[in-house]
């Protein structure tokens, strides 16, 4: 169903049946001094109508003309935003106990202009004023102003992307038509942004609530409402028509390329960046996969040796053939070490062109209002000159250094402790089983593993809570800084948790065959498990448990459909997807020389992963609010760090490899000479990687030129402005 | 002598004697349509007069009022620049064969306004039109416009540093008075900048020159004139009065702090940055020096052991006392490794505050005209929209990768080759001497060393020429990029040349006692040699060879004094000073654990170095042209790289140290275990350094805020400007 039909749907349901009329009316009495039901027809409505015509074919305009008003919606404050149809964007779910008075107050607040302390949005009380949802939309001016505040770039009349300016809106392409000008994700995010930005202009009592819930000046109203249970949930609405188009272009056919621009349009840049990276990364697996296959096919001896070393009988073969000086493993390792740097540098370039294309190259989060959770002494921001809470940088640094770092360290220590206990317990139990050899000792064999899994899970849960609390305590000003610090904390822990065992095998046990076995099983099992838990289970749950309660027919009122979307599970965010990629990348880059087919397996996995992730986000979850972002954020750093750590680990594993050990014995090299050689190779490789990373520019030439052009013109403009100010 | 007295000097010499009048007159006829000798008295001249009063005490104003015109100088094109006195800033020395016609043409060109293709400067033909010098100065408007073009920041009316804008000049503090507003170094650099920027507006024949010297459109005139031998030399003039003040505050007394702001005023920011760094670095030597003394004093055993290992009899002492687990060397090494990162990070912060203070924080070199040597196809610069030669980035990268890098590599190879030949020859000669034991073989012993020194010097000279040619070939657009690439090339070679022998001893011979001996002798001898060659010899030459020809009395004509300054040797640039610091820093950080007193020796050396360098630049050389810079440029990078390399080298040296070897033998560790331990320590230290470097912000908080504020306001201004343009 297309957006304008949504609007019509609302109109149709709420107008023809008189039974619905008596309830929205009190709203219109409180909200609108002018007539509510009549709307303002006129020239402004033309473009929207044309769009409707374009999008829905020839059918729509004739129907649309029948409804030239938007009953039930709060009135817009400026005439330029009056439109004959309103696209429902976001649903706010209220608590069960919320009385109509509170709901009316809330609708009034949301609809009030921003200068009066409102959100400047459009609100609709749903089917009736006692219902527990409010449907939100945004008028043009609010959307455009927020676009400027967020620092989004849009297409200027000369075809370049330029930072949008509200006052200059006429010269931006399509700025009349919000459904083309802003992506659907941006429109919805802006509503969230405005709601989060609601602050009490003075001390305030919320009608219908206890006195304990009074708002103090500058309190975040939305936070308070959530805390008080008035607002239970806020979620953006799916657009079934668009979603269908998107899914057809994305995962239904056999297409190789993803419709990334459409993904950005529908799900926003943070989701689009994930899928772009997944795409880029998958294709960049081709060279190591081909090399891996090549090595596995041609250097049969090495392969056989490897297989034999897994099965434990290698003695016979070694003497038969002269060993080549450079084994396949070495080739694979050196290639994958250099390859990972090249891939990450190329991704940075791709990332910056995508971010230019999607208008997020110079997001102005630093200059916007701080995030709602940010607190501090009220003062004048030295950068923007606005009044807002301030929190000194050094205090945050101190909190990070003295609280967060030790806490994270403690938990990493607990992971290691758990692992050590597990190993000791396992050894003890095995000994016990040998001594007793009874049924009891047989079952006891599984106890350490079970205990370890339980311990690890508990630790992970506790850590997640702690990480959230710590990041909140660090009091970051920007949403993205908060996200990055939170993600960073969890990421370090999760990664550590995933790799502790492998590192233990590689660096302490120094048992390459065991490592190879583990790695192969991890690669295969974890991928199967991932696919099952991520897609199959949610799909089954959705199909057989949730869906029967959610059957909807075309004739259902729109509101019920909205409510139904609320029953879908919350989108869990991209953390799990990213960490999966990172762990994969870790298997590949850290231990690639052990198992040459890693890249092949990962390539196969990722080709299905793209589709299953796309299916998942489209079908199984509510649509998420996604902030506009300019790249991968902290994940970028994580991948780069991993790419450097991989040099250390690969050199070490090569040193342990039986092949090299054999060679050095033949050549009569001592252990320390061999080690010295490995250290030198490692240093050279790291040096080469650092130089490569420094030499490959992080952004394409054309973007650099555009950026410098913007810098230059804004420098000029600043001078001009100072002059104008002083002359006038 | 103070600036306005200079001006008066010229006036006095050139007016009262009628014999001088007939020659400047043709100039004034060609240049000035209005009367030449009368000047324009009035309000504009007031501030300059006041300054004169401030600077020279009560004596000046009464005399100044007697000369309210500036005879001999070319006429300024705008009335606002008319001033009653002109400060001679730069002297251009012409070739012997230059005929008066060419000189007149040149003066006319220099004096013509910029829109007519001139330099917009003030020129004076010197004592008479046949003389071989031209004295230059700059009118106010030219200075101010160039200040804007260079992107210099000056104090705005609100007290902040802001990028200067010509149109907004009224609101910058002291913008009426060039001698306060711009530093003397800036005024002189601007003259050079304007001369270098002279480009032929159309095809042009230089009068009095052969036809082969015709200029094509957009040719750099100044380059052509130098090539044709018309201009032999261009140098800025010393101001004896200011120089005396500066030297008194700088190196004559016993003061500890340097007058860095005054240095910046007189010699410009690049010199001031060198001395600031020297200062900062010297004080930062205190902690390692104290630690070194502490170790040398308290851990007597270690010290004795060290001394004994130098003299070769260590066996007896070792068993007497139990060795401590952590030796003084180790402590020293770990401390100095971490210390070097902290110092470099703190220096970055200091550097950015100095650069803010000196107005060079956002130099706009990228947006200014390309350097004169830059060539390429004429096109529109996509950043500034101006017509200028363009040269694609990828072509430059290609040239660097395919030509420069292999060439530099080749020369580094030649250094190594030379060293290897030297060692082989030395060994051969020693063998020969043993076999023959005659006078001939005795003398032959010195041959390899002599040959090696000759070879190294020839190589260095050849390399310097090559580096220049390569950097020219790379065709950098900005002067600073050219300088950095040239410096970088020579620096790598010089450093390699300096350290090849030490690295050879440390890593191949693995002979710590020899290294210690070498290091100690290098530290002491090289410093003494440096001080002698850098200061004592130039001083003696100046005092006893040059100076007798240059005795000047108060009554000499100004022009002769200017000419005399031309006989001083050219300032050789700061390369030698920086490389000395870098090599020092290398001794200290790379091999600190070998010789704990390094920091003490360096501290002592640097305390004298500050004074001797200051004396040298003030007294022994011509004043240099120094471009405004925002920091150390490529030297910063060199110091940082060295600080990381030091971890590798220190860990290696500790591994070799007899102390650790003894300890590990006692503990029964194998060689490879010990090596493994060293590798782990090295990795941890590098990790810690990377984290420290990432965590310490590169600029102080208040500068970050100012920078962000500028970004914010210019973003706002850009929006505003676009709006204004479209409305009008």
């Amino acid at each position: 169903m297309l957006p304008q039909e949504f609007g019509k749907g609302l109109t149709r349901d709420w107008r023809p049946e008189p039974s619905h009329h008596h309830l929205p009316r009190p709203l219109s009495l409180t909200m609108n001094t002018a007539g509510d039901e009549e709307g303002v027809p006129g020239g402004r409505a033309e473009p929207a109508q044309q769009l409707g015509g374009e999008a829905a074919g020839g059918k729509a305009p004739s129907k649309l003309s029948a409804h030239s008003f938007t009953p039930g919606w709060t009135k817009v404050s400026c005439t330029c935003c009056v439109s004959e149809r309103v696209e429902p964007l976001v649903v706010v779910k209220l608590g069960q106990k919320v009385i109509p008075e509170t709901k009316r107050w809330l609708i009034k607040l949301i609809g009030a202009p921003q200068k009066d302390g409102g959100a400047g949005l459009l609100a609709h009380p749903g089917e009736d004023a006692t219902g527990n949802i409010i449907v939100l939309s945004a008028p043009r001016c609010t959307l455009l102003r927020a676009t400027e505040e967020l620092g989004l770039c849009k297409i200027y009349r000369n075809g370049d992307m330029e930072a949008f300016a509200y006052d200059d809106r006429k010269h931006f392409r399509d700025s009349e038509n919000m459904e083309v000008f802003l992506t659907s994700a941006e429109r919805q995010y802006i509503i969230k942004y405005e709601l989060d930005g609601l602050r009490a202009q003075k001390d305030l009592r919320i009608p219908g609530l206890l006195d304990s819930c009074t708002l103090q000046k500058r309190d975040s109203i939305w936070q308070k409402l959530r805390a008080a249970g008035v607002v239970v949930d806020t979620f953006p609405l799916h657009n079934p028509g668009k979603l269908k188009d998107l899914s057809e272009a994305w995962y239904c056919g056999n297409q190789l390329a993803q419709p990334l621009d459409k993904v950005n349009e529908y799900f926003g840049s943070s989701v689009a960046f994930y899928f772009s990276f997944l795409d880029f990364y998958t294709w960049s697996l081709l060279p190591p996969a081909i090399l891996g296959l090549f090595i596995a096919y041609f250097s049969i001896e090495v392969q056989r040796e490897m297989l034999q070393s897994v099965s434990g009988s290698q003695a016979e073969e070694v003497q038969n053939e002269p060993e080549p000086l450079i084994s396949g493993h070495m080739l694979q390792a050196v290639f994958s070490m250099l390859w990972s740097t090249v891939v990450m540098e190329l991704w940075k370039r791709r990332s910056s062109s995508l971010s230019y294309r999607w208008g997020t190259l110079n997001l102005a989060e630093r200059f916007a209002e701080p995030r709602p959770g940010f607190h501090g002494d009220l003062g004048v921001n030295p950068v923007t000159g606005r009044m807002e809470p301030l929190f000194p940088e050094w205090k945050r640094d101190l909190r990070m250094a003295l609280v967060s770092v030790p806490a994270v360290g403690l938990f990493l220590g607990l992971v290691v402790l758990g692992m050590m206990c597990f190993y000791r317990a396992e050894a003890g139990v095995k000994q016990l089983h040998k001594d007793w050899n009874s049924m009891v000792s047989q079952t006891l064999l599984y106890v350490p593993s079970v205990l370890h899994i339980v311990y690890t899970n508990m630790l992970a849960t506790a850590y997640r809570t702690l990480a959230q609390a710590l990041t909140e305590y660090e009091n970051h000003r920007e949403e993205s800084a908060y996200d990055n610090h939170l993600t960073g904390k969890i990421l370090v822990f999760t990664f550590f948790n995933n790799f502790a065992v492998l590192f233990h095998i590689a660096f302490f046990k120094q048992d390459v065959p065991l490592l190879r076995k583990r790695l192969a099983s991890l690669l295969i099992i974890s991928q199967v498990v991932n696919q099952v838990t991520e897609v199959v289970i949610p799909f089954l749950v959705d199909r057989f448990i949730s869906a029967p309660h959610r059957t909807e027919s075309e004739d259902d009122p729109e509101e019920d459909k909205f409510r139904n979307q609320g029953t879908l599970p919350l989108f869990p965010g991209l953390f799990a997807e990213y960490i999966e990629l990172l762990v994969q990348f870790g298997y590949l880059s850290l231990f690639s020389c052990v198992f040459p087919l890693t890249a092949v397996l990962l390539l196969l996995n990722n080709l299905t992963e793209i589709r299953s992730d796309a299916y998942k986000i489209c079908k199984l979850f509510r649509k998420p609010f996604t902030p506009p972002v300019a790249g991968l954020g902290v994940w970028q750093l994580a991948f780069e760090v991993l790419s450097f750590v991989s040099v250390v680990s690969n050199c070490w594993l090569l040193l342990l490899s039986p092949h090299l050990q054999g060679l050095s014995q033949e050549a009569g090299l001592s252990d320390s000479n061999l080690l010295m050689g490995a250290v030198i190779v490692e240093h050279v490789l790291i040096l080469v990687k650092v130089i490569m990373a420094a030499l490959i520019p992080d952004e394409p030439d054309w973007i650099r030129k555009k950026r410098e052009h913007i810098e230059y013109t804004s420098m000029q403009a600043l001078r001009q402005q100072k002059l104008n100010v002083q002359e006038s």
Side-chain angles (χ1 to χ4, degrees), chain A residues 59 77 174 185 190 234 255 329 468 470 489 561 699:
Chain A
K59 203 180 73 182
S77 55
D174 297 315
I190 286 172
T234 317
Q255 62 281 70
H329 298 323
Q468 219 136 17
L470 284 175
K489 284 193 191 68
K561 291 185 187 168
E699 48 184 13

Side-chain angles (χ1 to χ4, degrees), chain A residues 52-326:
Chain A
E54 277 165 34
K59 203 180 73 182
S62 59
K63 283 197 182 177
L64 240 159
S65 54
H67 313 280
S68 56
F69 37 80
T70 52
W73 289 97
T74 51
K75 195 85 192 298
V76 293
S77 55
C78 51
T79 52
C80 67
C81 294
V82 175
S83 151
E84 63 182 23
R85 61 184 196 73
V86 177
E87 181 196 21
L89 287 170
V90 170
V91 167
V92 175
K93 214 171 143 192
L94 303 178
Q96 290 298 340
K97 292 183 188 162
V98 175
I99 58 170
E101 193 193 351
T102 313
K103 185 174 176 182
R104 272 198 300 275
W105 173 82
L106 189 55
I107 289 181
K108 186 175 162 190
L109 180 79
I110 292 171
Q114 285 169 331
K115 62 178 192 300
D116 303 338
L121 300 173
L122 295 171
H124 192 290
E127 204 159 344
D128 56 50
T130 53
N132 66 344
I133 64 166
I134 301 177
V135 184
L136 300 184
S137 186
R140 188 164 157 265
C141 281
T142 305
L143 287 175
L144 291 180
R145 277 186 207 282
T147 308
E148 170 172 339
E149 259 181 67
L150 292 172
L152 291 172
C153 293
K154 292 289 164 191
I155 303 172
Y156 204 57
R157 56 171 174 180
N158 60 6
D160 275 357
M161 298 296 277
E162 302 223 2
F164 178 73
Y166 177 77
D167 290 332
D168 196 19
R169 60 191 177 280
K170 273 180 294 185
H171 293 101
F172 282 84
R173 227 173 256 177
D174 297 315
S175 68
E176 294 292 314
N177 187 343
M178 285 304 107
E179 284 170 36
V180 176
F181 185 69
L182 291 173
T183 68
S184 126
E186 280 163 358
R187 293 196 300 275
Q188 288 170 332
Y189 179 74
I190 286 172
I191 291 186
K192 177 175 148 58
Y193 174 76
E194 294 296 346
L195 292 178
D196 282 342
L198 276 175
R199 280 174 191 277
Q201 284 190 321
K202 54 182 193 289
D203 291 6
L204 199 71
R205 237 195 95 255
I206 302 172
L209 284 192
L210 293 174
D211 280 349
S212 64
C213 294
T214 44
L215 288 158
Q216 252 117 49
K217 200 183 164 192
R218 280 204 65 84
D219 268 359
S220 165
I221 297 178
W222 208 250
Q223 275 199 322
K224 201 86 178 181
L225 288 174
R226 291 192 76 107
V230 175
V231 173
V232 180
D233 219 340
T234 317
F235 58 89
L237 285 168
H238 266 304
N239 180 332
K242 276 195 184 172
L243 188 58
K244 199 159 162 256
D245 284 357
L246 178 64
S247 56
E248 268 164 19
W250 205 1
Y251 59 85
C252 291
N254 282 318
Q255 62 281 70
L256 279 178
Q258 297 183 64
L260 292 173
D261 286 336
K262 277 192 185 169
V263 174
N264 175 55
E265 208 288 325
Y266 194 78
F267 284 111
S269 48
S270 52
V271 173
F273 264 112
Y274 165 71
F275 282 99
S276 311
F277 181 67
L278 180 56
D279 199 68
F280 185 85
Y281 169 62
T282 303
W283 291 120
S284 72
L285 283 172
L286 261 184
I290 290 171
L291 184 73
L293 281 175
F294 189 85
I295 286 170
Y297 185 79
F298 279 96
S299 62
I300 287 287
E301 315 87 31
V302 175
Q303 202 56 26
R304 211 185 306 155
E305 184 202 45
M306 189 185 85
L307 287 172
Q308 282 165 347
S309 83
V310 175
S311 60
S313 59
Q314 80 220 83
E316 18 154 354
E317 196 73 28
V318 176
Q319 295 107 0
N320 288 358
E321 291 170 57
E323 292 182 67
L325 203 69
I326 291 167

Side-chain angles (χ1 to χ4, degrees), chain A residues 522-539:
Chain A
L522 269 176
L523 275 172
I524 296 163
I525 296 174
S526 77
Q527 285 177 17
V528 172
V529 169
N530 260 329
Q531 300 269 356
V532 169
T533 52
E534 280 185 16
V535 182
V536 180
I537 292 181
F539 172 76

Side-chain angles (χ1 to χ4, degrees), chain A residues 683-699:
Chain A
H683 281 71
V684 169
L685 279 171
I686 287 184
L687 187 69
V688 170
K689 277 168 81 92
V690 168
I691 291 175
M692 280 205 306
L695 286 190
I696 301 176
D698 284 0
E699 48 184 13

Side-chain angles (χ1 to χ4, degrees), chain A residues 70 83 97 101 115 125 159 168 188 201 353 412 421 431 474 498 504 512 544 566 603 645 685 701 705 720:
Chain A
T70 52
S83 151
K97 292 183 188 162
E101 193 193 351
K115 62 178 192 300
D168 196 19
Q188 288 170 332
Q201 284 190 321
S353 22
L412 296 186
C421 290
Q431 189 59 42
E474 286 166 15
N498 263 289
H504 180 87
V512 178
F544 297 105
L603 183 62
V645 175
L685 279 171
D701 224 37
K705 277 182 193 146
Q720 197 56 45

